Structures are given as structure tokens and as C-alpha cells.
Amino acid sequence: MKALVWHGVGNIQLDNVADPQIEQPGDAVIRITASAICGTDLHFIRGTFSDMQPGTILGHEAVGIVEQVGDGVRNFSPGDRVVVCSTVSCGVCPPCRAGHTAQCDNANPNGPEAGTCFFGGPKATGPVNGLQAEKARIPYAANTLVKIPDGVTDEQAILISDIFPTAWFGAELADITRGDIVVVFGCGPVGQFAIASALLMGAARVIAVDCHEDRLAMARRQGAFPINFEQEDPVEIVKTLTGGTGADCAIDAVGVDSQHAHHGPASKEAEEKADKFAQEVEEVAPETYPQHGNWIPGDAPTQALEWAIAAVKKAGRLSIIGVYPPTAETFPIGKAMNKNLTIKMGNCNHHTHIPYLLELTRTGAIDPAQVLTNVEPVENVIKAYEAFDKREPGWVKVELEV
């Protein structure tokens, strides 16, 4: 079968690989009908999340049709239409039963202390082959798959495999209540759903910070107040839009590939911190191979965090759902402590949220497909990755048809 395979930093290829097989009684094999490209995948190619294993199939978002189930899978049958939870979970261990499915004790082959197991990730997460392929083996299928209800399309469901639940999880971590003012840093796919989630939870005002006009325009269409950090100082404008007090909570939907301002009033501070940011990049991405403008790590790994801490009110809340690797050891803890901030973060507990978000979609409360901007055949996956990596205008979220 065809699959997108990671061969090294800056090196991905569409290869022919062996079809997956049932290996454990709890496995299923699905025929993938649609996959998607996520910003997390870019971390692995850029080198800002290390220890990827050559030969690993990329991708952690998919919908498909069940083809085979192991003897231990009782709740699915061949022919069922399913969405894949991006994180693998058993459903019966104490963390899973408490709703913390991203911290499943059993899913990660490296042991219960290893943490989150997800598709297409580095050695510490399994590794488990990913979903940008024609077929996939699904470990712990009884909990890692969710049936797609009638009336929900592939285009909608693919966005509920990872980015919508991640954003919803982030909004919950921010403890958003009716009347809150929320600032979202990063208007990529997760950021767009963080805006939507905050509004669904009753936020009175959502402020969106990014530097790409097409993404800011999408945020504005949702009702957000956009700030382009290449034109304005985001912290100062957040203060202006909140009567001088700052936002009630902030959501970091950027992560380790954050960028600083290169123009406008915010660029002066970035120039003063140039050495600090360069040291941070070396810390998280010691091995990089940029090619023709692609696979370039973000130039300021803590910039979104610094802005978020500065933009929230005293005793405010910070939610971090942007991806940071274990090698990221720099955090502006002093500034956060001296504002009495509450900070929550983590990997999304996908299985906990996906059934509810499918129901929201089925009932028409939200249409996730409005964030989908590009649909490409899997044969075009390399070019699609390159366009998405460069954040070319119009490339916000990419579905791959298999």
C-alpha cells in the first residue's frame, strides 16, 4: 500500500509498504478513506520534536471503514464507518476511566510511565505507524475508534479526529465561563477551533493573534477580534480591547514553532531577545535541514508563551495545547508566578471528547468542515505538505483523499 514515510529530518517520501495486519486481539485494521495533515506532523519534519524513527508512517488523523477486527474487539464489525482518535487508549485503566485517555497506562509500548501514545510519532510515543496511508492497524481499537453517526460526512469527521477535540480540550483547560474575554495565540487549524470552542462555551469576546492574513480573516468570520503581530504589538492591543486589564484567559495554540515579530512595534523586543531565542531554537532543534524554504523551525519557541502570560489579567488562566517536546526546558515561570496565573496544559484526551463533538456536528450546532480549505489526493501529499509548511495563503487545513 502507499504511505507517507519519515526517513529523516527534512526527508519524507510516499513509499510502497506492507499492508498492516492484526497483531493483537484488541487490534483492528481499517481502510482509510481520508487522512489529514497537522501542524504536529511538521514538528517531526522540521526537527523541533526529536527521536523520530526512520521508516515510521506519519499522520494521526483519519476516518475509514473497518476491514478486520481482532477477537478481543466486541463493539465494531467490518463495514463500520469510524473516526480514529489520534491518541491510543485502552479504556479500562485508571487514567482512561477518569477521562485522561491521553495518559493511558497500557497503550504506550514503552510502559505506563512513558505518557501519551499517538499515531505517527517519535520513539517515546510508541512508535505506532501513522494514518497517512491506505490502511492502518489500530491498537486498542475498542477505545481508539469511534463510530461516525449518520449525517456526519468524512470532511466533518476528519476534523474531529484531532484538531477540534484538541481545541475543545484547550478551551476546557482555560475554564472558560460565560462573559469571559479569551485570547487565542495562533490561528492555524487548532486555533480556529479554539475560537469556535470558546464562543460555544459562552465567551463574550475572543481575540485572535497571528501574522497570516488569511488565517486572521477566517478568525474574523467566526466573530473574533484579529491582531496581526507583524503590524501591532499584540500585548498592547489585547490590553486596549480589554479595558486595560488583560484577557481572562489565554490559549497557546502555537507551540514550539512559535515565531517572533519581524516588523512593526513588537519587533524591537524581539531584536533585544535575539540571542535568547536562538539558544531556545538550538535547544529544541539541534538538527535541521531546511530545503527550498521548507522545514524551517520557528525562530522563537517561547514567544507565544511570553505574549500569553503578558496578555492575561492578574490571576488569569493560561491553557497550553500547542506542542512542546521534552527537550523544551525554557519557560517564563517567574512572570507567570508573579501574576498568580493558573496554568493547565497537556495532550488532548481524544476519546473523552470525540463522541460529544460528533453529536454537536450531527445536530448542526457546528460545521467543522468550514475550517477545511484544501482537499488533495494522497499522490499529491508531498506538495501539499510543502504548501502547508510554508503557510501559503489559503492553506489552513488539508485533507488527503486516499
Side-chain angles (χ1 to χ4, degrees):
M1 68 172 184
K2 293 178 182 177
L4 185 72
V5 178
W6 190 93
H7 290 275
V9 174
N11 183 4
I12 55 174
Q13 299 174 29
L14 186 61
D15 292 342
N16 286 312
V17 301
D19 287 0
Q21 305 294 327
I22 299 289
E23 297 178 11
Q24 300 292 334
D27 290 352
V29 171
I30 67 167
R31 175 174 59 82
I32 294 172
T33 54
S35 185
I37 300 174
C38 180
T40 302
D41 300 322
L42 297 179
H43 297 320
F44 307 141
I45 308 171
R46 292 171 179 167
T48 46
F49 205 120
S50 59
D51 215 14
M52 281 290 290
Q53 302 300 291
T56 301
I57 297 172
L58 285 175
H60 54 268
E61 298 173 278
V63 297
I65 307 295
V66 175
E67 286 197 337
Q68 304 174 58
V69 295
D71 293 340
V73 180
R74 295 171 179 263
N75 56 335
F76 293 99
S77 301
D80 284 342
R81 187 164 161 260
V82 293
V83 59
V84 184
C85 299
S86 294
T87 48
V88 182
S89 60
C90 74
V92 299
C93 69
C96 282
R97 290 161 73 167
H100 305 301
T101 56
Q103 294 299 320
C104 175
D105 281 343
N106 297 316
N108 196 318
N110 297 299
E113 297 301 315
T116 307
C117 174
F118 63 90
F119 292 96
K123 183 179 180 180
T125 67
V128 178
N129 272 325
L131 307 175
Q132 289 167 3
E134 294 181 286
K135 295 183 180 183
R137 180 181 74 90
I138 310 298
Y140 296 98
N143 214 60
T144 304
L145 297 176
V146 179
K147 289 182 182 179
I148 301 174
D150 292 340
V152 176
T153 67
D154 275 11
E155 286 70 24
Q156 293 171 322
I158 189 61
L159 301 170
I160 306 175
S161 180
D162 178 35
I163 58 171
F164 191 4
T166 294
W168 188 270
F169 171 69
E172 284 195 340
L173 291 181
D175 291 326
I176 295 169
T177 58
R178 192 166 300 281
D180 277 346
I181 298 179
V182 181
V183 56
V184 176
F185 287 89
C187 293
V190 172
Q192 298 295 337
F193 278 112
I195 294 166
S197 299
L199 293 171
L200 284 167
M201 292 180 182
R205 176 173 290 189
V206 179
I207 302 166
V209 181
D210 204 293
C211 65
H212 298 279
E213 286 297 337
D214 59 327
R215 298 182 176 205
L216 290 168
M218 182 179 285
R220 184 184 292 110
R221 290 195 293 272
Q222 293 200 66
F225 291 62
I227 298 173
N228 187 329
F229 67 74
E230 293 284 18
Q231 300 174 8
E232 302 175 299
D233 185 318
V235 176
E236 291 304 315
I237 301 303
V238 169
K239 294 290 182 64
T240 298
L241 294 173
T242 58
T245 61
D248 295 291
C249 53
I251 300 174
D252 171 7
V254 183
V256 67
D257 275 310
S258 180
Q259 292 183 304
H260 64 69
H262 303 83
H263 309 283
S267 63
K268 181 178 179 181
E269 183 180 4
E271 291 173 2
E272 295 171 352
K273 295 181 176 179
D275 291 342
K276 169 184 176 293
F277 287 147
Q279 184 176 351
E280 291 174 4
V281 173
E282 178 63 25
E283 179 180 83
V284 298
E287 181 183 16
T288 61
Y289 296 99
Q291 299 173 22
H292 310 294
N294 279 108
W295 325 131
I296 301 172
D299 56 19
T302 61
Q303 180 65 90
L305 288 171
E306 292 190 9
W307 281 337
I309 290 168
V312 295
K313 68 180 184 181
K314 293 184 289 184
R317 289 106 59 196
L318 171 59
S319 166
I320 305 171
I321 51 173
V323 172
Y324 291 89
T327 52
E329 297 183 344
T330 302
F331 184 84
I333 189 70
K335 292 179 181 178
M337 180 182 180
N338 284 284
K339 290 185 77 171
N340 279 43
L341 300 189
T342 297
I343 303 173
K344 295 182 180 180
M345 66 193 85
N347 296 320
C348 176
N349 302 307
H350 290 89
H351 186 269
T352 301
H353 301 294
I354 284 176
Y356 176 67
L357 300 181
L358 284 169
E359 183 62 12
L360 282 184
T361 302
R362 187 192 68 80
T363 60
I366 188 170
D367 179 10
Q370 292 192 30
V371 173
L372 185 63
T373 54
N374 305 83
V375 179
E376 296 287 333
V378 71
E379 290 78 10
N380 292 352
V381 62
I382 303 296
K383 289 185 178 180
Y385 254 96
E386 292 171 348
F388 181 64
D389 173 65
K390 291 179 180 178
R391 301 179 182 87
E392 291 184 358
W395 288 77
V396 177
K397 185 60 179 177
V398 186
E399 175 188 339
L400 300 171
E401 287 187 332
V402 182

